[in-house]
Amino acid sequence: MILPEPSLRRLPWYLAHVKLLMNSGVEFVSSTQIATATNVDASQVAKDLSLLEISGKTRVGYEVKSLVEVLEDFLGFKKSHKACIFGVGSLGGALLQDSGLEQYGLKVVAGFDIREDIIGKEINGISIYHINDFYKIQEEEQMVIGIITVPVDKAQECADLMVKGGVGAIWNFTPYKIKVDENVVVQETSLYAHLAVMFNRLNEK
Amino acid sequence: MILPEPSLRRLPWYLAHVKLLMNSGVEFVSSTQIATATNVDASQVAKDLSLLEISGKTRVGYEVKSLVEVLEDFLGFKKSHKACIFGVGSLGGALLQDSGLEQYGLKVVAGFDIREDIIGKEINGISIYHINDFYKIQEEEQMVIGIITVPVDKAQECADLMVKGGVGAIWNFTPYKIKVDENVVVQETSLYAHLAVMFNRLNEK
């Protein structure tokens, strides 16, 4: 089921809240409680949760433990998606060190770069290879997600290489708008665009 | 001028493209060229650029060098905004190592945590302090932006502390929906929400 992006972005908020409840031993939660905690309209929460295969009980609401499981499963966090990172510079190297991603279903298994001084090394137990070795590694690893953290002028080239190698989704951290075949999923996360929005709002106060 | 978020998110794409042109020695660029390169509608590009204090010349278009300067200035990337990071775990530690942020106007000057083993240490030349020392450091540094990368159950507490200390904007990397006074700017960047969207699209193919 292809979900609307706004719902998909709200579900992790609910999950974060419900996980907290679970860890404090709470057994049931109502959509109204979730709504208050996450600052989302109650009818919207109910609508979002209706997308899941779980139903609340009258008066008591949803069973917290089941809701956590259903949400994690639904969001794909319980499956392990193999990924690689192109560009082991400051941001790429940083993401390699973020072991939090693995808990959310993203397993980075390889890094690629062209800088001789880091090729052959490991970061956080993950090997760094030369970009020229991508196809070879891809044959062994069958990575489904490619993360791009190269300089902007190399972003398109890397995307093309990944797509040729059979990667199904690209997570683009550069501010460059890459173009790929429409059956490839592209997720843009430009931290700099978020900075621009934040600076603008801040300076207008 | 408070700009619509979609425009603010597109401007860094234009900037990335125009910087590439500048570095390859190109002198002029038209809005149509920018539109093609960034995959945005040409009239939309023209409209976005009309927000800036620069005008193109008939036939030749915008002067590339000036456009880069005006965009960087407009987006706040040329000013240095002092920031701190609460939560020096895997993601927080990773962001401390990302020196790219400074080039885009975000200067992280301090990290805060409660783990005794890292307090007093430095990452990338930035000192890590105990969260209890936040007010003291804030008095010296006057940080305007607070970055939150703590576990979700600590996010609200940290936000409250930051706001009390006079931080004007919060960059929240947790999936927890924090609540703050409406004059505080909040920018949400939940990598996990982006993962959820990407996994959903990928699994539906």
Side-chain angles (χ1 to χ4, degrees), chain B residues 109-122:
Chain B
V109 295
F112 294 93
D113 208 297
I114 50 165
R115 281 168 42 221
E116 291 299 341
D117 57 318
I118 52 161
I119 289 162
K121 301 228 166 109
E122 281 192 0

Side-chain angles (χ1 to χ4, degrees), chain B residues 150-161:
Chain B
V150 295
V152 278
D153 58 332
K154 298 287 180 291
Q156 185 61 51
E157 210 176 303
C158 290
D160 293 341
L161 196 63

Side-chain angles (χ1 to χ4, degrees), chain A residues 1-5 8-9 12-13 16-17 20 36-40 75-77 79 81 90-91 94-95 97-101 104-106 144-145 152-153 168-171 173 175-177 179 183-185 187-205, chain B residues 1-5 8-9 12-13 16-17 20 36-40 75-77 79 81 90-91 94-95 97-101 104-106 144-145 152-153 168-171 173 175-177 179 183-185 187-205:
Chain A
M1 179 175 27
I2 295 192
L3 288 184
E5 191 159 329
L8 274 171
R9 287 176 179 257
W13 292 341
H17 175 63
L20 287 186
T36 313
T38 55
N39 213 2
V40 173
L75 290 169
F77 294 164
K79 241 176 98 177
H81 302 78
S90 54
L91 180 59
L95 289 173
Q97 308 223 13
D98 180 11
S99 9
L101 294 170
Y104 285 84
L106 190 85
V144 288
I145 292 174
V152 278
D153 57 333
I170 290 177
W171 195 1
F173 280 84
Y176 190 80
K177 190 79 185 299
K179 289 177 207 171
N183 66 17
V184 176
V185 177
Q187 176 67 45
E188 311 264 357
T189 301
S190 173
L191 299 183
Y192 312 125
H194 290 191
L195 275 180
V197 175
M198 194 162 54
F199 292 161
N200 179 264
R201 301 295 183 257
L202 190 61
N203 295 331
E204 286 311 317
K205 284 199 318 182
Chain B
M1 180 174 27
I2 296 191
L3 288 186
E5 191 159 329
L8 274 171
R9 287 175 179 258
W13 292 342
H17 175 64
L20 286 185
T36 313
T38 56
N39 215 1
V40 174
L75 290 168
F77 294 163
K79 241 176 99 174
H81 302 78
S90 54
L91 180 59
L95 289 174
Q97 308 223 15
D98 179 11
S99 11
L101 294 170
Y104 283 85
L106 189 85
V144 289
I145 293 175
V152 278
D153 58 332
I170 290 177
W171 196 2
F173 280 83
Y176 190 80
K177 189 80 185 299
K179 290 177 205 168
N183 65 17
V184 176
V185 177
Q187 176 67 46
E188 311 265 357
T189 301
S190 173
L191 299 182
Y192 312 125
H194 290 191
L195 276 180
V197 175
M198 193 162 54
F199 292 160
N200 179 263
R201 301 295 183 258
L202 190 61
N203 294 330
E204 285 312 317
K205 283 200 316 180

